Amino acid sequence: MAAAAAGLSWRRVSSFTGPVPRSRHGHRAVAIRELLIIFGGGNEGIADELHVYNTVTNQWFLPAVRGDIPPGCAAHGFVCDGTRILVFGGMVEYGRYSNDLYELQASRWLWKKVKPQAPSNGSLPCPRLGHSFSLYGNKCYLFGGLANESEDSNNNVPRYLNDFYELELQHGSGVVGWSIPVTKGILPSPRESHTAIVYCRKDVGSPKMYIFGGMCGCRLNDLWELDIETMTWSRPETKGTVPLPRSLHTANVIGNKMYVFGGWVPQSAGGEISAPDGEWKCTGSFSYLNLDTTEWISLISDCQEDKSNLLPGPRAGHCAVAVGTRLYIWSGRDGYRKAWNNQVCCKDLWYLDTERPLAPSQVQLIRATTNSFQLKWDEVPTVEGYLLQLHADSPVPPVAGVPGTGIPETSMLSSQGGCSLHQSPQSLPSIPYPEMKVDHPSQTNNLIPNNVQVALSSSSKVEGKEKVAAPENKVAQETMKNHTDATGFKESNAPSLLPICTSSAQTSANLGELHDLDKQSVNPDASVSSTVSSTQTMVTQQAVKTESSSTNGAVVKDETSLTTFNSKSEAAETAFAMPSTRVNTGQTNDSHSSRALQRPPAPVKTRDRRWYDVGIFKSNSAMVSQFYLLPEETLNINSKKECADVPDYRLLKKQDLFPGTVYRFRVAAINGCGVGPFSKISEFKTCIPGFPGAPSTVKITKSVDCIHLSWEPPASPSGNILEYSAYLAIRSTQLQENPSQLVFMRIYCGLKTSCIVTAAQLSNAHVDYTSRPAIVFRISAKNERGYGPATQVRWLQDMKTSGSK
C-alpha cells in the first residue's frame, strides 16, 4: 500500500480561462471525449447552468443551450450515452424532489423532456434524490435514493429506498420506458448517496453492477454485486482493508479498478459508529477495488496528513470523472454538519493519472527539407507532453566532456511545429530547458517536472527494427532504370505499376484524407522521404480546407451541427512514392520508462544503438532541425543503467541534420505517471538539393462518371518541371497476400497539372481500410535530376460506396 501511495502524483489545475462555475456540492459530471460536462448542485441556491470544461485547452465555457431546459437540481442521476446525456430526478428545492427525465443532445446543446412509459408490473419511480443511475448498453439502472413521505415540502419525512428500475433507451435519442426487473438473491438494504458502477471483465462477458456505501440513518461500507444477465444480487467477499463507512463519495471505473474518493466518514478513528447521531467528517481518503480479484487497496488513508497541499483536500458531494485513464475531481463541500445552503465548498480542480500513457502512433512526415523535418503524430488523450527521439544512419560522434554554458541556446524547434514545454500544474522542482518557440505566447518557457523518467540514448537495441526491403514487382515486370531520383531509387520513363510496402495495416503510408464530396482541396508541403509509416488522420466534417504548413492546422466548416471538440488533423501530407520504398517493421518495447528497452543477446556497435533526444513537446507536432548530443561519459553511464532523468538540455550540444540522410524517429507520451512506451519506428530521409518538391493543393472534383484531379506545381521546383505522374492504388493478388503492401498504377504522365480518373480506373481501385475507407492517390513531379517526393491523399469513401467497389 505504501508503494502504491508513493506512486500517486496528483496535479492541481491552477491555470485556466473562461467563466469558472461557482463552488458547489451535489452536482454531477460526465465526460464526452476531452470535455467535462457539469450540471446542477448548489451552494446558496441550486444551480441550473450547464458548465463545460475542456481538459485539453484548460478552458471553461457556458454552452448556449436551448429546448426544454430543465430546472436546477442536486443529487440527481446523470449518465452519458455517446453524445447524449440523461438527467433523472434530484432535489429541485428544499424538501421537493423530482422524477422528471431530461435528455441533452450535446452535439447541438439541445434539451428535451422525455416521458417514458410506466412499467407494466408497477408504477413509475417516485420523486427522489441521492439515487444511483447507471448506464450499460441501451439501458439505465436506477437504484435507491431518498424520498419525502410528506406532501408538504416544508415538512420533510425521509424514506430510504431500495427499489430497482430499468430504463430502456432508443438508439440515438428518446427512451422506450421503465420496467421493474425480477431479481434473485437478497436486495441491498435501502440507502441514498451511495455509488453504483458497471464493469465487465474482458475474459468473462457477464456485466456486473457494484453498489458501495451510502446512507440509511447511518453510513454504510457494504459492497453489493448484481449480475446484469441473470439479475442476481450477491455480496462478494473482498480482501484487503475495506474503506470506512461513507456517503456522498464518488466511485469511478478505470480499467479493472473502481476508485473511491472522499465522502462523509466516522469522526472516530475506529470507524465503529453506527448511531444516527454519530460524529462525522469529510475525508480525502482514496482507495480502489480491483474488480477482478475483489481486493481493496488503500492509496490515501483517512489519517494521512498533507502539509504540502499536494493532495486534494477532504470533501463530500463532489464530482469525479474519468477521461481515459485520468481521474478528475472538482469542488464539493468540506464543512461539517452545516445547513444545505451555507456550506464551505472547495473551489479546486484536480486530476490524477492512474496509468502510464499508451504509445502514440508512428511519427508522420508533413514536410522535409535538406536539413529539417516537420513531423506530427496522433494525439494521446490526457498527456502532459511527448518525448521525441531520433536515430541516425550515419555515425554521430559522442561529445567529449560536458560543454560550458557558452553554447548557443537558439531554438531548434520552430513555432511551425507547434512546440512548447508543459508547465506542471503543481509547484514541483523542475529542470530548466532551452527556450523554445510556441504557438501561444502565454505558454513559452513552460517546464516538465523533473520526476519524469526518460530512457536516454540507451545502448539497448530496439528489437526488430531492421529494415525490410520492398519486394520485387511481380504485377508489372517492367525494369526500373534509366534515371536516379533524389533518394537513389531508379525509375523508368513510364512504369505502369508501383508496389509500396508499409509496416502494417494500421501504419500504411496514408497521409492525407478527403471526403467523397463534390470538391475538396488539400495543401500539402514538399517533403522527401525514403520511408514513411504513418497512421491516418480522421476528417469527419462536411468540408475541409487546410491552411499553410506554417500553421499546421485545418479550417473546418460544418454547417450541420455545433462542434465543440478539438479537431486537429492534417488533411494532406506527403510521402515518397518510389518503387523501392523501404519500411521499418520494428516495434519498441511496451514497458514503461522505468525499464530499459530489452537488450538483444548479440553485441551491437554502440553507435548503432543510440537514440538521441530531439526534445519534449507539449503538442503533437514538431519542426526538427537539430537533436541533442550527450557527453561520452553520459552515454557510458546510460549504457549501464536502464533509464535516466531528463537532462538539462541547456548543457548539451546540438547536432544539425544532414542532407540526404535517413533518420529514424520514435515518440513516447508523458503524463503524471511518467513516460509511456515508445511508438513504432518511422524512417524519413532529408532532401538532396536539386530535386523538385511535392505538388501541392490537390483538388478532387467528382462528376457522374469520373473524377477530376488537379494540383499546383511544387513550391520549390529546383529547375524546370519536365512532367508529372499521378498514381492510383489498385487491387491485386499481391494485396491479398500482404494487405499492408499497396500497389500503385500510373494513371497520368504529362506536363498538365490536372488529369481525369475514369470510372473504369476507379472500378479497379483498392479501398484502404487502415483507418477509414479511402481511395489512395499519389502525385509527384520530375525535373532534370529526377522525380521528387509524392503528395499522397486519401479520398474518404462512404461505407456504402466502399462496399460496392
Side-chain angles (χ1 to χ4, degrees):
M1 287 186 289
L8 293 180
S9 183
W10 284 94
R11 303 278 204 265
R12 179 171 179 171
V13 181
S14 57
S15 177
F16 40 76
T17 59
V20 180
R22 71 179 188 267
S23 58
R24 64 192 65 190
H25 60 98
H27 52 290
R28 299 289 187 263
V30 295
I32 299 180
R33 301 179 201 172
E34 73 272 18
L35 301 182
L36 303 186
I37 301 176
I38 298 171
F39 181 70
N43 189 31
E44 300 180 359
I46 296 178
D48 58 0
E49 323 91 32
L50 190 77
H51 290 269
V52 181
Y53 176 74
N54 189 313
T55 61
V56 174
T57 62
N58 291 341
Q59 180 181 20
W60 289 97
F61 65 94
L62 284 163
V65 296
R66 54 198 175 95
D68 304 325
I69 301 175
C73 57
H76 47 286
F78 202 57
V79 298
C80 179
D81 175 29
T83 58
R84 69 167 165 179
I85 297 171
L86 294 171
V87 181
F88 174 75
M91 182 174 72
V92 292
E93 63 182 47
Y94 182 77
R96 189 166 71 87
Y97 309 150
S98 169
N99 64 348
D100 292 333
L101 181 66
Y102 288 87
E103 176 187 271
L104 171 68
Q105 291 290 342
S107 60
R108 293 173 289 166
W109 302 120
L110 177 65
W111 282 106
K112 178 183 177 182
K113 187 174 183 179
V114 292
K115 296 181 179 181
Q117 298 176 2
S120 59
N121 55 343
S123 59
L124 290 167
C126 66
R128 66 189 67 202
L129 62 75
H131 48 282
S132 59
F133 197 51
S134 308
L135 173 74
Y136 185 78
N138 68 330
K139 294 180 180 179
C140 289
Y141 298 95
L142 169 69
F143 177 80
L146 181 69
N148 186 0
E149 289 285 81
S150 173
E151 296 182 358
D152 182 6
S153 60
N154 294 321
N155 182 24
N156 196 0
V157 180
R159 177 168 66 94
Y160 295 97
L161 306 171
N162 67 340
D163 49 356
F164 181 59
Y165 285 84
E166 185 179 81
L167 175 66
E168 184 177 355
L169 310 181
Q170 292 178 347
H171 179 71
S173 177
V175 297
V176 177
W178 293 102
S179 63
I180 302 176
V182 177
T183 61
K184 306 171 187 176
I186 300 176
L187 203 65
S189 59
R191 66 193 65 206
E192 57 103 0
S193 298
H194 55 282
T195 56
I197 60 94
V198 179
Y199 171 70
C200 184
R201 288 183 58 167
K202 293 182 180 180
D203 55 342
V204 180
S206 178
K208 306 287 198 313
M209 184 171 75
Y210 293 90
I211 290 176
F212 176 71
M215 172 72 174
C216 183
C218 61
R219 270 75 182 179
L220 307 168
N221 66 344
D222 50 348
L223 179 71
W224 293 83
E225 176 186 288
L226 172 68
D227 187 312
I228 293 178
E229 288 188 353
T230 64
M231 284 294 162
T232 302
W233 290 100
S234 62
R235 287 282 305 272
E237 294 185 4
T238 62
K239 296 172 285 186
T241 303
V242 180
L244 292 177
R246 66 192 59 216
S247 63
L248 294 173
H249 54 287
T250 54
N252 301 85
V253 176
I254 301 177
N256 66 339
K257 301 176 177 66
M258 179 179 76
Y259 290 91
V260 176
F261 179 83
W264 289 99
V265 297
Q267 178 74 45
S268 63
E272 302 296 334
I273 297 179
S274 60
D277 58 350
E279 296 294 322
W280 302 88
K281 66 176 182 179
C282 287
T283 182
S285 61
F286 186 46
S287 304
Y288 72 78
L289 174 70
N290 186 313
L291 296 169
D292 293 337
T293 63
T294 62
E295 179 180 8
W296 286 102
I297 301 294
S298 176
L299 299 173
I300 302 174
S301 66
D302 291 280
C303 58
Q304 184 171 333
E305 294 185 8
D306 179 31
K307 296 181 180 180
S308 301
N309 294 320
L310 298 179
L311 301 173
R315 67 194 67 206
H318 53 283
C319 69
V321 187
V323 179
T325 59
R326 177 176 287 182
L327 182 66
Y328 282 86
I329 290 175
W330 181 70
S331 200
R333 56 176 168 173
D334 62 0
Y336 168 64
R337 278 192 161 186
K338 294 182 178 173
W340 177 270
N341 282 330
N342 288 289
Q343 295 291 327
V344 177
C345 288
C346 309
K347 301 179 181 180
D348 47 358
L349 174 65
W350 293 79
Y351 68 83
L352 172 72
D353 288 312
T354 60
E355 299 175 7
R356 293 180 187 268
L358 299 174
S361 66
Q362 284 179 284
V363 177
Q364 306 167 28
L365 179 66
I366 300 175
R367 180 181 61 183
T369 67
T370 56
N371 58 0
S372 69
F373 294 111
Q374 186 174 352
L375 306 175
K376 69 163 291 184
W377 50 91
D378 289 350
E379 287 184 333
V380 178
T382 63
V383 298
E384 299 174 359
Y386 302 90
L387 171 65
L388 180 65
Q389 292 185 336
L390 67 76
H391 180 287
D393 262 3
S394 58
V396 179
V399 182
V402 179
T405 57
I407 298 172
E409 296 182 13
T410 55
S411 174
M412 67 171 180
L413 305 167
S414 161
S415 61
Q416 294 177 354
C419 162
S420 68
L421 292 176
H422 183 66
Q423 175 67 53
S424 169
Q426 65 187 73
S427 299
L428 295 176
S430 301
I431 293 176
Y433 289 86
E435 181 179 353
M436 296 188 181
K437 299 179 182 179
V438 295
D439 286 335
H440 306 287
S442 62
Q443 296 176 343
T444 56
N445 297 329
N446 288 338
L447 304 177
I448 290 286
N450 67 350
N451 59 353
V452 174
Q453 296 287 316
V454 182
L456 294 171
S457 304
S458 172
S459 59
S460 306
K461 180 180 177 182
V462 179
E463 294 183 352
K465 68 182 181 70
E466 291 77 11
K467 293 173 288 186
V468 179
E472 296 180 1
N473 186 351
K474 298 180 181 180
V475 179
Q477 298 295 334
E478 298 191 25
T479 304
M480 311 303 293
K481 60 183 180 180
N482 301 332
H483 204 83
T484 303
D485 69 0
T487 59
F489 296 129
K490 294 181 179 180
E491 54 87 22
S492 67
N493 291 330
S496 61
L497 295 175
L498 291 177
I500 190 75
C501 289
T502 54
S503 60
S504 69
Q506 284 71 34
T507 58
S508 61
N510 301 322
L511 299 176
E513 295 198 359
L514 296 177
H515 265 296
D516 186 1
L517 303 175
D518 290 339
K519 188 173 182 179
Q520 298 93 355
S521 171
V522 292
N523 299 325
D525 292 296
S527 70
V528 171
S529 167
S530 63
T531 314
V532 175
S533 297
S534 126
T535 53
Q536 293 72 41
T537 58
M538 301 296 292
V539 181
T540 58
Q541 287 74 21
Q542 295 295 316
V544 176
K545 178 182 178 183
T546 62
E547 299 174 350
S548 65
S549 63
S550 61
T551 59
N552 190 22
V555 176
V556 177
K557 298 179 180 179
D558 186 354
E559 303 296 333
T560 62
S561 65
L562 296 175
T563 304
T564 61
F565 312 113
N566 289 345
S567 300
K568 298 180 180 178
S569 60
E570 288 292 333
E573 299 162 2
T574 54
F576 210 79
M578 289 300 107
S580 298
T581 301
R582 299 178 305 170
V583 297
N584 190 297
T585 58
Q587 299 183 11
T588 58
N589 192 334
D590 286 337
S591 63
H592 298 319
S593 65
S594 59
R595 299 167 55 193
L597 301 175
Q598 295 182 2
R599 295 186 174 91
V604 181
K605 293 182 180 180
T606 304
R607 72 185 185 191
D608 294 332
R609 297 180 293 187
R610 292 177 185 160
W611 285 92
Y612 296 89
D613 286 5
V614 176
I616 296 179
F617 300 83
K618 182 178 179 182
S619 67
N620 62 324
S621 61
M623 179 66 77
V624 180
S625 61
Q626 295 175 314
F627 57 92
Y628 291 102
L629 295 175
L630 289 177
E632 187 172 6
E633 55 269 28
T634 306
L635 286 174
N636 294 333
I637 293 174
N638 287 336
S639 67
K640 299 177 182 178
K641 55 190 296 188
E642 295 186 341
C643 63
D645 290 333
V646 175
D648 186 345
Y649 289 137
R650 295 180 303 175
L651 302 179
L652 301 180
K653 285 186 176 180
K654 288 178 274 188
Q655 175 68 56
D656 292 331
L657 302 186
F658 295 103
T661 304
V662 175
Y663 293 93
R664 299 179 183 90
F665 288 91
R666 66 182 187 181
V667 65
I670 304 170
N671 66 9
C673 292
V675 180
F678 279 95
S679 66
K680 294 181 181 180
I681 298 169
S682 297
E683 188 174 288
F684 310 117
K685 187 175 182 179
T686 49
C687 296
I688 297 177
F691 289 85
S696 61
T697 318
V698 179
K699 295 181 180 179
I700 299 179
T701 305
K702 184 179 179 182
S703 301
V704 177
D705 56 350
C706 66
I707 64 170
H708 183 264
L709 276 179
S710 64
W711 56 89
E712 292 184 3
S716 54
S718 299
N720 295 323
I721 298 298
L722 303 180
E723 67 183 25
Y724 295 95
S725 287
Y727 303 91
L728 169 67
I730 61 170
R731 296 193 298 269
S732 73
T733 56
Q734 191 171 343
L735 269 172
Q736 296 175 0
E737 298 171 358
N738 184 7
S740 64
Q741 178 177 306
L742 297 180
V743 176
F744 285 84
M745 175 181 70
R746 177 141 66 181
I747 55 176
Y748 170 78
C749 182
L751 275 172
K752 291 184 178 180
T753 57
S754 63
C755 70
I756 298 294
V757 186
T758 65
Q761 291 172 325
L762 288 174
S763 65
N764 196 34
H766 165 68
V767 179
D768 180 55
Y769 286 90
T770 53
S771 58
R772 296 185 58 185
I775 294 175
V776 183
F777 295 96
R778 287 183 173 179
I779 306 166
S780 59
K782 178 183 179 182
N783 66 6
E784 293 85 350
R785 296 196 62 183
Y787 271 98
T791 297
Q792 176 169 298
V793 292
R794 304 184 77 245
W795 185 31
L796 291 181
Q797 303 293 299
D798 292 335
M799 295 300 293
K800 295 181 180 179
T801 304
S802 61
S804 63
K805 290 190 180 293

